[in-house]
C-alpha cells in the first residue's frame, strides 16, 4: 500500500480533556445502551468531599437505569489520607486517588469533577474546614461546575444541618452545595464566570440519606419518611448480566489505595433522597418530575428525537451498521443547532462514538516512544479501518482541535481493508510538560492554585497531542479525534497502552526527600540525572544558602543514550547553627538551566502518572542525639519512616513478616511496626508471641497507629489496650507533659514545648481510648473545645523491655522534616 507522509505541527489547546486509553471497541449491547442514553436529556450532579464518599450504587442506577448524564463532584482529591498500596502521600496520593476515581466512573457510567480544595487532613467541624479552605474559592468552583454541567438534579452525600457529627469536609461539602444551589442562577454572583459560561437553575436539591445518619436501621425504620423519595436501586441489567450493586462494587473496588475492595450483592435494595430545595415532587419515585428529558426540551430538537427513537426501536443487534444512515441524519440536524445550546456538543460527542462503534471504525495514533520533549520530532504510526459495508472515505488527517493543518486525503475505506500511515510530528516549544495541572504551582495548606478558569473542575492532566481524522459517511464529513498514545506488547499482559508524556530534556532527582544533619560532619548527597535525548554534555550543581557548603561546586557529566541515568555525589556541610534549608539540583545543558525532577507513579490499576516538580529536597541542621541501635521495621500500609530513620543514622532492616523469628529478632535492639500494620499484615497474628518475647528479653517494640478496621489479632499489646477514635487534628495544639521525668521526654534529647512547633496536618490519630494500669501516658493535648487526649504515647514495661504504642503521626512529620518529631522518635527508640 502506498504510504503518505507529512509534517504536523501541534498547536497549543489547553482546554481539551484527554485520557490516554485503549481504543473503544463496544459490543452491540453497549452500543444500544449508548443509544438509550443518547435519547435522554437529563442530568444529575452528586456532591461530596473525598474520593470514596460517592455512592456508586446511586451513580450507577442514575446512569445505567435512568440513562441520565451523571457526575460526581469530589471537592478534594483525597490528598490527606493514607495509602494502603505504597508510600506515596499528599500530592502524589492525590494523583493516585484522582485516577482511581476516573477508573471508577468508567465502570459505573458517571463523569468526574473536582474543586481546587486541598484535602489537608481530618477536620472535626466545618468551621475549621472553611477557615483552612478558601470558602469563596471552593464555592466559586462549585458554582462554576454547576453552571457548566447544568444538572437538573443535585444530590448531596452529607447533611448540611449536622456540623460536628462527621468529618468537617463532609458537612462543608453539603453546606456549600446548598449555598451554591441558590447562587448559580444569580448574575451578580461570580460575574466574571459569565464571560465563559452562563447561569443555570437546577430543578431540585436532595440529600442522599440512609439509616447511618439516623444512628441505626431500627431508628430509620421508625422515622417519618414523608419528605423522602425511595428509589429501587437493586435492579438487574439483563444486557450486562450484572446487578446494579455488582456494577457499583466493581466501581468502588477501584479505590485500591484506600483498601475499599467491595463484594457485589444482588436483590432488592433502596436508596433514599430527602428533598431540600427547588420544586417539590408530587410523585416521590420520579426525581425528574416536571423535567422534559426528551429532545423536545431544546429548540428544533423534536425531529432529532424522532429519528433517534426510530433508531432505538429498530436497532439490529446482529447488524448495528444498519442504523448508521439515520444516525448521520441526526448528526446533521444536531450540527445545525444553535452553538449556545448546552446539549449540542454533548450529544455530538456521544453520537460520533456511536457511529464509529456501529461501523466498527477503529482509529489509532501510536508514538514510537512514551516520552518526548518540546521542540522535537515524534514519529507516529496511524491505523484506520472500516469494518462495515458502509461506503466511506478518509477526507483528511491532521491536528485537532485547531483544524487548520488538515492534510487533504481522498481515500476510500473499503470493508475490513486496513489503512496505515507513518507520520512525523513536531512538538512545539511552547507545549507544557505533562503534569497534573493543579500541581503546576505550589499549593497552600487549603487550596490548589489553578489560574486557568477553564481547567477548574476537570479531573485529569490536560494532554495536548492529538490527531484528527475526517471521515465522509453517507455524504457527511465527520471529524473524529484520538489521543496520541504509546503502546507495547508485554509477554504477560499482552497489549499495553500508556499516555504520551511531554517531559524536560533532562531531569535530576535528589536521592532523599529530607536530610538530617545532627553534627558538623559532611553528608554525601546523591543525585541522579536522567536524559530524554541522545548525547548530553553538561554540568550539575547543588544550590543552597551561603552558610551551608557543598563540594565540588559542580560536576561535569556526559550521557550518551536516551533514558540513561548518571549518578553524582556532593558533600554537603551544614551551618553551625540550627537551620532548615532547601537543596536544589540544577543542570546546565546547552547553556540552559534545568531544575526539574520527574516522578513516575506506577500501579497496575491506573495508567502510569508523571509528575514534574522542582528538583529539590529539605536539609535540616538540628540538635539531635541518637544511640547506636539496630532497628527492624515491619511495614504496614506503606510509609517512608524507614528512610527517615536511616537519615538519623540508624541501621534499619525491613523485616518481612514471614521472616519474624526469635533467631532473626535477636540481632535487633528495636522493632517498629509501620502504620496500620495490625490492620493489613495477617501474618502478625501468628508472630505476635515472638515479638512479645523480644520485648520481655529486654528489647523495645514501638507500634505506630492502627485504625478501627478489623484487626489481624486483638492482642496487639502485651496488656489490655483498646484503640479509639481520639485524634488531635490541630497540629498547633498545645502539648502538655504528663510524665515529665520519663526518659521519653529526657533521653537522649530533652523534649521541650518548641519540639511541637511546625508540625504538619495533625499531631496524631486513632489514640487508644482505654489502657491498663501497666501503661504510662507521656503527653496530652486536645483540639479546641475538647477534653484532653492522653493516649498519644503509651509506654509499658514488659519483662526486661519496653512496649510503646503511639498514635503520633510520625509517618507525616518525619518525611516533612519536622525537627521535633525526629528528636521525639530518637527518644522512643532509646527508651529506658
Amino acid at each position: 500500500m502506498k504510504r503518505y507522509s507529512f509534517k504536523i505541527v501541534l498547536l497549543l489547546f489547553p482546554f481539551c480533556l484527554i485520557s490516554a486509553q485503549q481504543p473503544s471497541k463496544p459490543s452491540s449491547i453497549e452500543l444500544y445502551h449508548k443509544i438509550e442514553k443518547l435519547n435522554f436529556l437529563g442530568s444529575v450532579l452528586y456532591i461530596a468531599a473525598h474520593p470514596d464518599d460517592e455512592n456508586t450504587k446511586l451513580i450507577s442506577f442514575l446512569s445505567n437505569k435512568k440513562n441520565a448524564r451523571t457526575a460526581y463532584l469530589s471537592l478534594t482529591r483525597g490528598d490527606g489520607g493514607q495509602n494502603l498500596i505504597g508510600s506515596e502521600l499528599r500530592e502524589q496520593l492525590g494523583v493516585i486517588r484522582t485516577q482511581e476515581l476516573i477508573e471508577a466512573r468508567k465502570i459505573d457510567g458517571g463523569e468526574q469533577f473536582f474543586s481546587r480544595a486541598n484535602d489537608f487532613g481530618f477536620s472535626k467541624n466545618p468551621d475549621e474546614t472553611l477557615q483552612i479552605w478558601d470558602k469563596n474559592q471552593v464555592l466559586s468552583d462549585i458554582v462554576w461546575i454547576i453552571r457548566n454541567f447544568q444538572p437538573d438534579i443535585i444530590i448531596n452525600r452529607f447533611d448540611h444541618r449536622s456540623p460536628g457529627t462527621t468529618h468537617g469536609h463532609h458537612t462543608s461539602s453539603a453546606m456549600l452545595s446548598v449555598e451554591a444551589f441558590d447562587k448559580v442562577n444569580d448574575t451578580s454572583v461570580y460575574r466574571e464566570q459569565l464571560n465563559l459560561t452562563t447561569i443555570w437553575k437546577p430543578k431540585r436539591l436532595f440529600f442522599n440519606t440512609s439509616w447511618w445518619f439516623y444512628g441505626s436501621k431500627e431508628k430509620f425504620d421508625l422515622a417519618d419518611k414523608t419528605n423522602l423519595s425511595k428509589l429501587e436501586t437493586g435492579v438487574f441489567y439483563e444486557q450486562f448480566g450484572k446487578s446494579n450493586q455488582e456494577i457499583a462494587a466493581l466501581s468502588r473496588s477501584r479505590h485500591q489505595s484506600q483498601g475499599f475492595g467491595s463484594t457485589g450483592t444482588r436483590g432488592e435494595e433502596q436508596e433514599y433522597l430527602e428533598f431540600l430545595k427547588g420544586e417539590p415532587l408530587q410523585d416521590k419515585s420520579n426525581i425528574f418530575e416536571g423535567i422534559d428529558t426528551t429532545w423536545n426540551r431544546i429548540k428544533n430538537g423534536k425531529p432529532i428525537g424522532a429519528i433517534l427513537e426510530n433508531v432505538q426501536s429498530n436497532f439490529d443487534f446482529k447488524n448495528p451498521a444498519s442504523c448508521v444512515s439515520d444516525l448521520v441524519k441526526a448528526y446533521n440536524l444536531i450540527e445545525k443547532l444553535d452553538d449556545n445550546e448546552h446539549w449540542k456538543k454533548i450529544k455530538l460527542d456521544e453520537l460520533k462514538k456511536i457511529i464509529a462503534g456501529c461501523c466498527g471504525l477503529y482509529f489509532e495514533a501510536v508514538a514510537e516512544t512514551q516520552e518526548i520533549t518540546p521542540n522535537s520530532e515524534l514519529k507516529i504510526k496511524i491505523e484506520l479501518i472500516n469494518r462495515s459495508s458502509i461506503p466511506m472515505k478518509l477526507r483528511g488527517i491532521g491536528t485537532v482541535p485547531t483544524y487548520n493543518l488538515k492534510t487533504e486525503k481522498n481515500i476510500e475505506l473499503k470493508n475490513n481493508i486496513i489503512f496505515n500511515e507513518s507520520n512525523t510530528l513536531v512538538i512545539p516549544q511552547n507545549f507544557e510538560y505533562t503534569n497534573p495541572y493543579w500541581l503546576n504551582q505550589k499549593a497552600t495548606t487549603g487550596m490548589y492554585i489553578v489560574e486557568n478558569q477553564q481547567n477548574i473542575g476537570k479531573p485529569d492532566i490536560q494532554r495536548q497531542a492529538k490527531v484528527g481524522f475526517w471521515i465522509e459517511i453517507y455524504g457527511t464529513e465527520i471529524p473524529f479525534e484520538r489521543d496520541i498514545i504509546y503502546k507495547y506488547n508485554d509477554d504477560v499482559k499482552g497489549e499495553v497502552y500508556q499516555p504520551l508524556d511531554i517531559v524536560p530534556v533532562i531531569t535530576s532527582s535528589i536521592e532523599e526527600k529530607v536530610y538530617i544533619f545532627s553534627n558538623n560532619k559532611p553528608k554525601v548527597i546523591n543525585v541522579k540525572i536522567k536524559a530524554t535525548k541522545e548525547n548530553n554534555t553538561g554540568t550539575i550543581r547543588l544550590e543552597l544558602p551561603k552558610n551551608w557548603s557543598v563540594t565540588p561546586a559542580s560536576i561535569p557529566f556526559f550521557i550518551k543514550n536516551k533514558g540513561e541515568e548518571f549518578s553524582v555525589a556532593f558533600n554537603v556541610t551544614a551551618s553551625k547553627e540550627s537551620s532548615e534549608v532547601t537543596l536544589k539540583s540544577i543542570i546546565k545543558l546547552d547553556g540552559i538551566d534545568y531544575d526539574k525532577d520527574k516522578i513516575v507513579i506506577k500501579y497496575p490499576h491506573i495508567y502510569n502518572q508523571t509528575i514534574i516538580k522542582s528538583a529539590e529536597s529539605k536539609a535540616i541542621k538540628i540538635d539531635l542525639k541518637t544511640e547506636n541501635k539496630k532497628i527492624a521495621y515491619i511495614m504496614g500500609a506503606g510509609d517512608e519512616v524507614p528512610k527517615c530513620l536511616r537519615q538519623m543514622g540508624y541501621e534499619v532492616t525491613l523485616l518481612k513478616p514471614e521472616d519474624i523469628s526469635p533467631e532473626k529478632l535477636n540481632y535487633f535492639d528495636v522493632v517498629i511496626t509501620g502504620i496500620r500494620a495490625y490492620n493489613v499484615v495477617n501474618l502478625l497474628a501468628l508472630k505476635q508471641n515472638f515479638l512479645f518475647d523480644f520485648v520481655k528479653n529486654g528489647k523495645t517494640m514501638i507500634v505506630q497507629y492502627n485504625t478501627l478496621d478489623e484487626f489481624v489479632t486483638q492482642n496487639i499489646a502485651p496488656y489490655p489496650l483498646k484503640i479509639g477514635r481520639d485524634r488531635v487534628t490541630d497540629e498547633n495544639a498545645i502539648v502538655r507533659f504528663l510524665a515529665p521525668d520519663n526518659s521519653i521526654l529526657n533521653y537522649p534529647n530533652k523534649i521541650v514545648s518548641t519540639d511541637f512547633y511546625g508540625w504538619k496536618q495533625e499531631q496524631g490519630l486513632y489514640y487508644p481510648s482505654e489502657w491498663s494500669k501497666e501503661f504510662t501516658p507521656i503527653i496530652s493535648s486536645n483540639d479546641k473545645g475538647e477534653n484532653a487526649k492522653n493516649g498519644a504515647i503509651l509506654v509499658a514495661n514488659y519483662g526486661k523491655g519496653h512496649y510503646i504504642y503511639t498514635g503520633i503521626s510520625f509517618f507525616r512529620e518525619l518525611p516533612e522534616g519536622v525537627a521535633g518529631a525526629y528528636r521525639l522518635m530518637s527518644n522512643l527508640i532509646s527508651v529506658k
Side-chain angles (χ1 to χ4, degrees):
M1 179 181 289
K2 181 180 179 181
R3 293 190 177 272
Y4 298 81
S5 63
F6 61 95
K7 292 269 187 176
I8 301 178
V9 178
L10 291 175
L11 300 184
L12 185 65
F13 190 79
F15 310 138
C16 282
L17 173 62
I18 306 168
S19 294
Q21 57 184 346
Q22 198 166 19
S24 177
K25 304 168 189 175
S27 67
S28 59
I29 292 291
E30 292 168 323
L31 288 168
Y32 181 76
H33 184 52
K34 290 177 183 292
I35 292 170
E36 289 180 308
K37 294 178 72 68
L38 188 63
N39 276 323
F40 191 93
L41 280 69
S43 53
V44 180
L45 181 64
Y46 197 89
I47 299 179
H50 310 105
D52 84 0
D53 285 344
E54 81 275 26
N55 184 339
T56 55
K57 294 177 183 178
L58 190 54
I59 290 174
S60 175
F61 174 79
L62 292 169
S63 177
N64 296 306
K65 180 63 177 179
K66 295 298 184 183
N67 296 318
R69 186 184 181 213
T70 308
Y72 174 44
L73 167 55
S74 175
L75 296 192
T76 76
R77 295 177 183 268
D79 329 71
Q82 289 85 54
N83 184 358
L84 287 182
I85 59 174
S87 60
E88 297 90 352
L89 293 175
R90 292 301 306 148
E91 291 84 359
Q92 293 183 42
L93 178 58
V95 169
I96 292 171
R97 291 189 173 178
T98 291
Q99 294 303 313
E100 289 177 338
L101 272 182
I102 290 171
E103 293 299 321
R105 299 292 82 77
K106 291 177 184 177
I107 293 170
D108 60 36
E111 300 176 43
Q112 185 61 51
F113 299 113
F114 295 96
S115 83
R116 290 171 289 174
N118 191 344
D119 181 4
F120 57 83
F122 192 86
S123 173
K124 293 181 177 178
N125 61 72
D127 290 340
E128 179 191 34
T129 297
L130 297 176
Q131 286 176 359
I132 298 175
W133 288 350
D134 184 320
K135 177 188 174 183
N136 184 61
Q137 286 188 16
V138 181
L139 180 61
S140 169
D141 292 355
I142 296 172
V143 169
W144 167 260
I145 291 164
I146 292 173
R147 284 173 170 173
N148 282 280
F149 185 71
Q150 296 190 9
D152 298 304
I153 306 295
I154 297 176
I155 301 174
N156 292 342
R157 181 60 176 132
F158 298 103
D159 190 353
H160 66 289
R161 300 157 297 194
S162 56
T165 60
T166 182
H167 198 319
H169 295 183
H170 293 166
T171 310
S172 295
S173 71
M175 292 169 63
L176 292 172
S177 174
V178 171
E179 188 172 347
F181 185 86
D182 294 327
K183 292 187 172 181
V184 292
N185 197 40
D186 187 340
T187 57
S188 68
V189 175
Y190 304 118
R191 184 185 297 274
E192 70 283 358
Q193 294 181 3
L194 301 181
N195 295 321
L196 300 169
T197 188
T198 185
I199 58 173
W200 177 248
K201 186 173 178 60
K203 193 76 167 180
R204 47 187 67 98
L205 174 68
F206 294 98
F207 159 44
N208 181 198
T209 189
S210 71
W211 68 263
W212 188 86
F213 293 95
Y214 287 74
S216 70
K217 292 181 179 179
E218 292 74 20
K219 290 181 180 179
F220 184 62
D221 289 341
L222 297 173
D224 180 8
K225 298 184 179 62
T226 55
N227 198 37
L228 304 186
S229 291
K230 184 171 75 171
L231 304 181
E232 297 291 342
T233 58
V235 297
F236 175 63
Y237 301 111
E238 293 87 351
Q239 68 271 40
F240 303 140
K242 295 182 179 69
S243 69
N244 188 67
Q245 301 98 311
E246 288 172 316
I247 292 175
L250 291 171
S251 172
R252 191 158 184 80
S253 295
R254 304 315 290 172
H255 295 298
Q256 292 186 19
S257 66
Q258 303 192 67
F260 280 159
S262 181
T263 299
T265 59
R266 291 145 291 280
E268 291 184 350
E269 192 165 336
Q270 298 79 35
E271 289 289 338
Y272 290 88
L273 303 180
E274 179 185 352
F275 174 78
L276 297 179
K277 284 193 171 188
E279 187 175 306
L281 288 171
Q282 300 301 314
D283 178 2
K284 297 287 176 55
S285 65
N286 179 17
I287 63 172
F288 288 98
E289 182 183 74
I291 302 168
D292 189 347
T293 58
T294 72
W295 281 92
N296 295 335
R297 79 178 294 173
I298 63 176
K299 185 178 180 181
N300 299 320
K302 187 174 182 178
I304 301 170
I307 293 172
L308 294 177
E309 284 291 341
N310 182 63
V311 168
Q312 184 174 334
S313 299
N314 296 288
F315 185 77
D316 186 345
F317 289 89
K318 292 184 178 180
N319 182 24
S322 63
C323 67
V324 170
S325 175
D326 283 340
L327 292 175
V328 171
K329 291 176 184 177
Y331 177 89
N332 286 321
L333 290 177
I334 298 174
E335 269 280 296
K336 293 175 183 178
L337 294 176
D338 191 309
D339 285 341
N340 293 322
E341 170 52 53
H342 168 71
W343 288 98
K344 179 177 180 178
K345 183 180 184 306
I346 295 167
K347 293 304 178 180
L348 279 178
D349 289 345
E350 291 179 11
L351 190 50
K352 285 195 289 185
K353 292 174 183 176
I354 294 170
I355 291 171
C358 289
C359 296
L361 264 176
Y362 181 90
F363 309 87
E364 203 171 70
V366 179
E368 67 173 358
T369 181
Q370 199 265 319
E371 295 181 335
I372 190 70
T373 63
N375 197 32
S376 58
E377 291 187 346
L378 176 68
K379 293 180 180 179
I380 63 169
K381 291 183 178 179
I382 287 173
E383 178 183 327
L384 170 61
I385 188 169
N386 165 27
R387 291 173 287 184
S388 74
S389 59
I390 296 174
M392 60 181 72
K393 291 183 178 180
L394 173 63
R395 287 298 190 185
I397 299 178
T399 61
V400 294
T402 56
Y403 293 100
N404 60 346
L405 289 168
K406 172 183 173 184
T407 301
E408 297 293 336
K409 306 280 185 182
N410 189 25
I411 299 170
E412 187 176 353
L413 298 175
K414 295 182 179 179
N415 183 15
N416 216 31
I417 303 298
I418 199 165
F419 169 82
N420 287 312
E421 184 169 280
S422 296
N423 301 315
T424 301
L425 299 88
V426 177
I427 304 296
Q429 182 66 51
N430 64 350
F431 253 35
E432 294 181 353
Y433 297 139
T434 298
N435 201 44
Y437 68 86
W438 60 95
L439 299 183
N440 285 338
Q441 297 187 53
K442 188 174 182 179
T444 67
T445 302
M447 298 297 297
Y448 285 112
I449 310 300
V450 180
E451 292 184 345
N452 186 341
Q453 179 69 40
Q454 295 277 28
N455 281 346
I456 291 173
K458 293 184 177 178
D460 208 356
I461 292 169
Q462 303 302 285
R463 300 185 186 275
Q464 301 158 290
K466 301 179 79 176
V467 169
F469 302 84
W470 285 261
I471 311 294
E472 182 183 305
I473 305 174
Y474 288 121
T476 295
E477 190 174 287
I478 302 176
F480 297 89
E481 56 191 45
R482 290 293 182 269
D483 306 340
I484 298 174
I485 51 85
Y486 172 72
K487 75 172 183 178
Y488 63 95
N489 187 74
D490 182 273
D491 289 343
V492 175
K493 299 176 182 176
E495 194 173 48
V496 177
Y497 283 75
Q498 290 296 342
L500 172 70
D501 289 335
I502 313 298
V503 298
V505 169
I506 199 160
T507 58
S508 61
S509 178
I510 302 175
E511 185 175 41
E512 300 292 345
K513 184 178 179 181
V514 176
Y515 290 90
I516 300 299
F517 292 78
S518 58
N519 53 46
N520 295 323
K521 294 180 181 179
K523 248 188 183 184
V524 176
I525 309 296
N526 294 310
V527 184
K528 281 186 179 179
I529 307 167
K530 187 170 183 178
T532 317
K533 68 179 186 69
E534 311 287 336
N535 299 318
N536 304 270
T537 300
T539 60
I540 183 170
R541 68 184 189 273
L542 274 186
E543 192 176 81
L544 66 169
K546 291 181 180 179
N547 58 341
W548 289 57
S549 64
V550 57
T551 57
S554 65
I555 299 175
F557 67 85
F558 172 70
I559 300 178
K560 178 176 177 58
N561 300 314
K562 176 180 178 180
E564 186 177 342
E565 288 187 349
F566 186 85
S567 294
V568 299
F570 295 91
N571 289 301
V572 172
T573 304
S575 61
K576 293 182 179 180
E577 66 280 357
S578 295
S579 60
E580 180 179 305
V581 302
T582 298
L583 298 172
K584 194 165 188 177
S585 170
I586 301 175
I587 297 170
K588 185 171 284 293
L589 184 69
D590 300 328
I592 301 173
D593 282 349
Y594 293 90
D595 62 355
K596 298 300 182 185
D597 185 6
K598 183 181 70 175
I599 298 170
V600 179
I601 300 173
K602 294 184 178 182
Y603 288 102
H605 67 300
I606 60 174
Y607 290 114
N608 292 352
Q609 299 296 301
T610 297
I611 300 174
I612 306 296
K613 62 183 287 290
S614 181
E616 60 184 43
S617 291
K618 185 182 289 186
I620 308 170
K621 173 65 182 298
I622 61 174
D623 178 15
L624 174 67
K625 300 178 181 66
T626 60
E627 290 190 321
N628 184 23
K629 300 284 188 179
K630 298 181 180 67
I631 298 173
Y633 198 93
I634 303 169
M635 290 297 286
D639 58 62
E640 295 184 335
V641 172
K643 290 183 179 180
C644 301
L645 296 173
R646 292 188 183 107
Q647 275 296 312
M648 296 168 72
Y650 295 114
E651 179 185 328
V652 182
T653 300
L654 294 181
L655 185 62
K656 295 179 180 179
E658 58 268 30
D659 293 336
I660 297 173
S661 67
E663 295 75 24
K664 285 282 180 71
L665 291 172
N666 190 52
Y667 175 78
F668 301 103
D669 304 300
V670 180
V671 167
I672 302 177
T673 61
I675 61 173
R676 300 180 68 175
Y678 286 97
N679 299 130
V680 299
V681 183
N682 291 324
L683 270 177
L684 283 178
L686 304 178
K687 304 289 186 173
Q688 197 69 339
N689 288 335
F690 294 154
L691 295 172
F692 289 163
D693 286 344
F694 171 82
V695 178
K696 186 183 291 185
N697 292 330
K699 306 297 182 69
T700 298
M701 181 177 181
I702 302 171
V703 176
Q704 296 183 84
Y705 95 93
N706 292 270
T707 70
L708 292 175
D709 293 339
E710 186 175 348
F711 288 91
V712 300
T713 174
Q714 294 301 314
N715 299 316
I716 67 172
Y719 304 116
L721 181 73
K722 183 178 180 181
I723 306 303
R725 297 185 181 275
D726 284 349
R727 60 202 303 159
V728 179
T729 62
D730 182 0
E731 61 271 25
N732 299 311
I734 295 173
V735 175
R736 300 171 293 275
F737 297 161
L738 299 176
D741 296 330
N742 192 281
S743 71
I744 288 175
L745 296 177
N746 294 279
Y747 181 83
N749 304 283
K750 179 67 176 178
I751 302 300
V752 295
S753 59
T754 54
D755 282 311
F756 293 91
Y757 293 174
W759 285 49
K760 307 296 182 183
Q761 186 166 323
E762 62 195 356
Q763 281 187 6
L765 62 170
Y766 292 100
Y767 294 168
S769 56
E770 298 177 19
W771 52 86
S772 68
K773 60 182 178 58
E774 287 82 3
F775 285 102
T776 299
I778 303 299
I779 62 174
S780 175
S781 65
N782 54 270
D783 289 322
K784 184 178 179 181
E786 294 191 355
N787 296 327
K789 305 294 185 289
N790 298 336
I793 301 173
L794 300 174
V795 58
N797 295 327
Y798 182 65
K800 299 177 182 179
H802 296 87
Y803 175 95
I804 298 171
Y805 188 95
T806 178
I808 293 291
S809 59
F810 287 109
F811 73 104
R812 296 197 193 280
E813 310 311 323
L814 297 180
E816 290 290 340
V818 176
Y822 279 90
R823 287 163 49 82
L824 184 58
M825 175 58 82
S826 172
N827 286 16
L828 294 182
I829 291 169
S830 299
V831 64
K832 290 185 174 182

